[in-house]
Amino acid sequence: MKEAKNELMQFVGGVIMLVVGLYILSQKVMVSSSYGFFSLWGGRFSSGLIMVPLIIGVVWMFATGGSFVSKIFTVLSVILIIASIIASTRIWLVSITMYEWVLILVLIFGGAGLVAKVLFANNKSEKSKKDKTESTGSYTSSIDDELDKMKKNMK
């Protein structure tokens, strides 16, 4: 029982560290987007022009009764719209001190490490229990018994 409480405290502490670190990081990041035009693969396009393939795909889908090719074209046009939004977004980190940066990294990765430790520790404890039962010989003796039964049945 003592291990379960310790694991629970480690998990909760890790989640709190992770959330606090991500919150501080979100306060130190600036995000903006360019309005009107976006740059994709070296070309500048109007933001309204990117909707034309989607309109063509939707019309094509309704005109042909939802053919496979029209659905693929529409999905690709939606992916193009999402790519244009991502391409026009600018993300940068404001000026922070080295202490703040180390604190953010320790909180995020330390919290993630504690959470991962608790989540994956269960596999190790089950494996060690299985190894203990195998070392007592009960597992190997049952295999020998099964092999003997199989040999008798084959004769």
Side-chain angles (χ1 to χ4, degrees), residues 18-105:
L18 186 62
V19 168
V20 168
L22 290 174
Y23 175 76
I24 294 171
L25 180 67
S26 70
Q27 297 299 311
K28 301 295 182 181
V29 173
M30 299 297 288
V31 180
S32 69
S33 63
S34 56
Y35 180 73
F37 291 95
F38 70 92
S39 177
L40 190 63
W41 296 299
R44 271 178 73 88
F45 299 99
S46 169
S47 60
L49 187 63
I50 199 67
M51 297 301 288
V52 173
L54 178 65
I55 293 168
I56 292 170
V58 170
V59 169
W60 188 8
M61 254 193 332
F62 281 103
T64 62
S67 70
F68 181 73
V69 177
S70 66
K71 290 178 183 177
I72 295 294
F73 186 81
T74 305
V75 167
L76 288 176
S77 66
V78 169
I79 291 172
L80 183 64
I81 291 170
I82 292 170
S84 69
I85 292 169
I86 292 171
S88 66
T89 302
R90 309 261 186 264
I91 301 172
W92 69 91
L93 191 64
V94 297
S95 180
I96 60 174
T97 65
M98 184 64 153
Y99 173 76
E100 290 174 321
W101 182 241
V102 170
L103 179 69
I104 290 169
L105 292 178

